[in-house]
Each structure stands twice: as C-alpha cells, then as structure tokens.
Amino acid sequence: MSTSTSEAPIDHFSHCHVGIFAQLARLGDLPALLEPAARARQIAEQSLGFFSKAMYVHHSEEEKELFPAVHKSATAGDERLRVDQLIEQLTQDHGALERLWESLEPGLKKVAKGQDTALDTQALRDMVERYQSHADLEEQQFLPLAQTILARNNDHMAALGLSLHMRHVPRFVAHI
C-alpha cells in the first residue's frame, strides 16, 4: 500500500467531519428558529379564530344596523350624500376584505398546524394594509359623522343600541 493509499481512509473520515460540522451549525440554528415558528403558528391560529367569525359579524352589524341608522338620520343634501358615499365605500371594502380573507384562510390553517404551505405573503400584506386603511376610514370619518348625526336625536342612538343588543341576546325557542 502506498503512502497516499494508506492515508485515504483518514481523509475519508476527515471529509465526513466537514459534513458533520455543517449539519451541526444548522442544528445549532434550530433553537433560534423554534420560537418564531411557534409564534407564527399562534398568530395564524388566533387570526383564524378572530377573522373567521368576528369579521363577518362586525361587517354584518355595520351593514344591517349602523349604516341604515345613519343613512336614515342624515340630513337630506350634502350630509346624506357624504354618508351614502362612505357607506358605499365601506360596504365595498367589506366584500373585498372578506374575499381576500377567504383566499388566505387555507394557507393560514396550514401555518396554524405547523404544516408547509406556500402562503401568499403579498396577499397577506395586502389584507393587513387594506383592513388598516378601511378601519382608519371608519374611525376618522364615518364614526365621528355617525356620532354627530345620531346624537341629534337620543331616540335614534337608543334604537341603534337596542338593535345591537338584541343581535347579541341568545334566542330561545318558545315552547308550544
């Protein structure tokens, strides 16, 4: 056996260690990745629980209770035109946001379960930005206007409050 042949088995072991060191370096990164992965699952699960229910209820209450009450109480002319424009924009936003959510929901369910997915991160960013913009429009423009309009008549504000309350009261079937 020549010198080069007799050293070959040692080189083999040495080359194996190169792969071991590389894998150990990756394995050493794992603890730092586990916390963000767990946080991603938690956020996905919480978002599914919230948006799959609360968003639809919230939109429904606005469209069936708040928007009609404000429209009905608005003064004819410029005020009612502004209210109608805002209601139209907000209602369109609701539909668009719900469709966007429904496109994200399957991927988020996989994230919540810790499964691999090709989550559309751009659509997710769009959802966040569009919903923030929508909520800002409500908070900055529509709700202050609604407060002004409904506050003119305490009966209108009380009727809205009662209507919202009744939507949340459990319904009981009457016994015959």
Side-chain angles (χ1 to χ4, degrees), residues 106-120:
L108 287 169
K109 285 179 180 179
K110 288 184 176 186
V111 171
K113 292 177 183 176
Q115 298 173 343
D116 285 342
T117 184
L119 184 65
D120 186 343

Side-chain angles (χ1 to χ4, degrees), residues 99-115:
R99 287 187 298 278
L100 190 51
W101 172 254
E102 288 160 7
S103 75
L104 291 167
E105 204 169 16
L108 287 169
K109 285 179 180 179
K110 288 184 176 186
V111 171
K113 292 177 183 176
Q115 298 173 343

Side-chain angles (χ1 to χ4, degrees), residues 1-18:
M1 203 180 242
S2 72
T3 308
S4 63
T5 308
S6 65
E7 292 176 6
I10 301 301
D11 287 343
H12 170 77
F13 285 106
S14 183
H15 289 307
C16 284
H17 287 145
V18 170

